[in-house]
């Protein structure tokens, strides 16, 4: 994972340094994370239903925009909080919290002076995790239970006023985050406020 992280940072810096036209900024916001195609197996299959509740988290990071006024490429480095909640047959609640470095590389289309849409792939690298709740849940799942990363697709739209951007996105996880006892795909809606530094 360290090699992937270093490679992603190197690409981000190279694109930014080689751009003839460059915008750079910071951003943050709130995420509404859920999971799809969840399936509890093994020791969890008897206690947990095949559904899970989402969690609310946050994201922080930086972005750069490279290109021409109408079409540009917008790579980003974002710290994201994701996860899900589960309830067993006795009503005990458990929660999985996953922290990622998300690296979307998006095509940005400026449809109007203030309106834009973005779309593209996203690589997510897991930085840490925390599992809380019933012992039947925490004893089975641990830090080795989840893949070190996954892939997703991003689609969103936003408005720009001066140096400020307000944007909404949906992220579809395309790969399963799998262990021996649970598998799922990350799904997320996010609202962001971005500020252009230059």
């Amino acid at each position: 994972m360290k090699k992937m992280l270093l490679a992603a940072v190197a690409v981000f810096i190279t694109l930014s340094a080689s751009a003839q036209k460059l915008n750079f900024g910071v951003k943050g916001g709130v995420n509404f994370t859920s999971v799809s195609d969840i399936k509890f197996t093994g020791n969890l299959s008897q206690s947990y239903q095949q559904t899970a509740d989402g969690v609310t988290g946050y994201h922080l990071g930086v972005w750069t925009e490279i290109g021409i006024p109408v079409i540009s490429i917008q790579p980003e480095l974002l710290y994201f909080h994701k996860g899900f909640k589960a309830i067993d047959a006795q009503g005990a609640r458990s929660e999985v919290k996953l922290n990622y470095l998300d690296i979307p590389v998006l095509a940005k289309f400026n449809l109007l002076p203030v309106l834009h849409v973005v779309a593209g792939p996203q690589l997510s690298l897991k930085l840490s995790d925390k599992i809380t709740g019933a012992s039947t849940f925490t004893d089975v799942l641990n830090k080795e239970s989840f893949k070190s990363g996954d892939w997703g697709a991003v689609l969103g739209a936003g408005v720009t006023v001066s140096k400020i951007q307000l944007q909404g996105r949906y992220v579809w996880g395309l790969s399963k985050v799998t262990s021996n006892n649970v598998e799922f795909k990350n799904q997320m809606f996010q609202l962001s406020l971005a500020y252009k530094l230059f």
Side-chain angles (χ1 to χ4, degrees):
M1 188 182 81
K2 291 182 179 179
K3 290 182 178 180
M4 294 176 66
L5 176 58
L6 290 173
V9 172
V11 170
F12 185 85
I13 293 173
T14 300
L15 286 172
S16 300
S18 63
Q20 294 182 356
K21 181 179 180 180
L22 171 68
N23 292 328
F24 180 83
V26 295
K27 67 183 301 183
V30 61
N31 341 317
F32 304 96
T33 306
S34 61
V35 294
S36 66
D37 300 332
I38 191 165
K39 183 178 181 181
F40 294 103
T41 59
N43 293 336
L44 296 181
S45 60
Q46 300 300 317
S47 301
Y48 291 86
Q49 298 178 355
Q50 307 305 300
T51 59
D53 295 329
V55 299
T56 301
Y58 63 91
H59 60 274
L60 296 168
V62 296
W63 57 272
T64 186
E65 185 178 353
I66 306 159
I68 60 177
V70 178
I71 302 175
S72 58
I73 300 297
Q74 184 169 307
E76 302 176 352
L77 294 175
L78 303 170
Y79 177 84
F80 261 94
H81 171 76
K82 306 176 186 179
F84 67 88
K85 297 176 182 177
I87 304 175
D88 68 12
Q90 285 72 44
R93 301 179 68 88
S94 301
E95 184 173 355
V96 172
K97 298 178 181 179
L98 302 171
N99 296 316
Y100 286 89
L101 176 66
D102 281 2
I103 310 169
V105 180
L106 308 175
K108 182 179 179 182
F109 305 92
N110 296 298
L111 304 179
L112 296 170
V114 297
L115 178 65
H116 65 267
V117 297
V118 293
Q122 174 173 287
L123 170 65
S124 298
L125 303 176
K126 184 168 71 73
L127 301 176
S128 63
D129 49 53
K130 184 177 181 181
I131 304 160
T132 59
S135 60
T136 54
F137 195 83
T138 57
D139 288 349
V140 171
L141 299 180
N142 55 56
K143 64 180 181 180
E144 304 298 331
S145 297
F146 305 103
K147 287 184 177 180
S148 60
D150 67 353
W151 292 90
V154 180
L155 180 64
V159 295
T160 303
V161 179
S162 185
K163 293 186 176 184
I164 296 175
Q165 291 184 13
L166 178 64
Q167 191 177 90
R169 296 180 184 173
Y170 196 85
V171 182
W172 289 268
L174 301 180
S175 61
K176 290 183 178 179
V177 182
T178 306
S179 78
N180 293 328
N181 293 278
V182 63
E183 61 182 38
F184 61 93
K185 295 179 181 178
N186 284 314
Q187 307 289 313
M188 177 172 57
F189 177 73
Q190 58 182 258
L191 289 173
S192 302
L193 186 65
Y195 182 77
K196 184 175 72 173
L197 297 175
F198 60 81

